[in-house]
Amino acid sequence: MIYLDYQATTPLAPEAREAMLPWLSGPEAMGFANPHSPHRPGRTAAAAIDLAREQVATLLPTGGQVVFTGSATEALNLAILGRRPSQIAVSTIEHAAVLDAAAASGAGVRMIEVGSDGLVPKDTTIPAGTDLVAVMQVNNEIGTIQPVAELARAAHDAGALFLCDAVQGAGKLAPSEGADLIALSAHKLCGPKGIGALWIRDGVELAPLIHGGGQEGGLRSGTLSPALCAGFGAAAVLAKARMEEDAAHVAELWKSARRIFAGWQLNGNEASRWLGNLNLRLDGLDVARLMSDLRDLAFSAGSACASGSGRPSHVLRAIGLTDRQAKSSIRIGFGRYTRPGDLEDACARIVAAAAAQGV
Ligand code: PLP
């Protein structure tokens, strides 16, 4: 099996796994202690969480606090519903966690259009009266990198706060400068599943969604998992240390994959893009048949959330593709642990299987 679905999730880094193990140990080692208990094992676990919080913060701007959540989806819901906005503006290519939380918030929702290149224009103006603007750093389906600093400025000029879903960018790119709220997910940066974080700029007030024991400064009640926090922290440290190396590796992989897919159309801008996301289309391609012909290749027909629904991707529709074009698109996602030979073999087999369809 060759794994080519890095936008859906990433392999757990061995360093992150190592960091988790002490907190998953048996009864004698006391790694299981509740980090919110005042006794010594509890305080030891709490110290591990404090360290992990500092480690995750190295991927974020200064001047704010990191609140751990169960996922980025939860972090985005906390950011949107916790602000209780009356008017929110979101780009048309946001993840469902943003689109659905905005719809559920009861606020008026304005859509910010993207161009056919998959980019929100830098000079987008935000209407006065908007409370919150949400634009992601890197799109999960087509990989386009949004002009977040300019859009944060436009939001502030209109008197709004700026929320950035940095799930696909954190650990790969510099932090989203100018944002007031930033959501992250550990499992997209080679950390464990089941933990995310919301970074909150100092002075930004939020109401909690989950009530109870008052953990995370009262913003997110519930016992934290030291193992998940430690894994997230270790993955963040590693991503930060390897940022240039990982980007260079991905750029090399991109070059060879693009050569093999000569003649296929790239969905989304090439220049402002995370190169570990190759979203391509070939008119007339039967993607379901392709996937069934190549069951030992784990690639995607779109975003993991949308695939299986039978509906064409809202992102591909937003960049102007017809339903047919959207349905003849595939996403190949690669990253730190992808071996060049594996990627080349997989791409060559995809091209051959498409050719066998006569398209
Ligand atoms: N935002 C983006 C851009 C994503 O790609 C994802 C995951 O698919 C999420 C949010 C949700 O992250 P999580 O799986 O941590 O809830």
Side-chain angles (χ1 to χ4, degrees), residues 215-266:
Q215 290 90 347
E216 296 299 86
L219 267 179
R220 201 271 187 174
S221 289
T223 303
L224 284 174
S225 159
L228 293 179
C229 293
F232 192 177
V237 167
L238 191 66
K240 174 119 180 149
R242 293 181 52 114
M243 210 176 270
E244 279 182 25
E245 195 184 336
D246 284 352
H249 176 59
V250 155
E252 280 305 309
L253 294 171
W254 167 272
K255 261 195 250 161
S256 60
R258 276 292 268 155
R259 260 197 307 271
I260 296 169
F261 282 108
W264 293 50
Q265 298 296 312
L266 182 67

Side-chain angles (χ1 to χ4, degrees), residues 283-324:
D283 287 339
L285 181 67
D286 180 341
V287 173
R289 187 174 146 201
L290 186 75
M291 294 183 96
S292 114
D293 287 347
L294 299 168
R295 284 174 201 266
D296 57 337
L297 303 183
F299 63 103
S300 166
S303 80
C305 326
S307 57
S309 69
R311 278 178 283 130
S313 137
H314 70 283
V315 174
L316 298 181
R317 297 286 287 130
I319 64 170
L321 301 196
T322 62
D323 281 5
R324 272 178 75 85

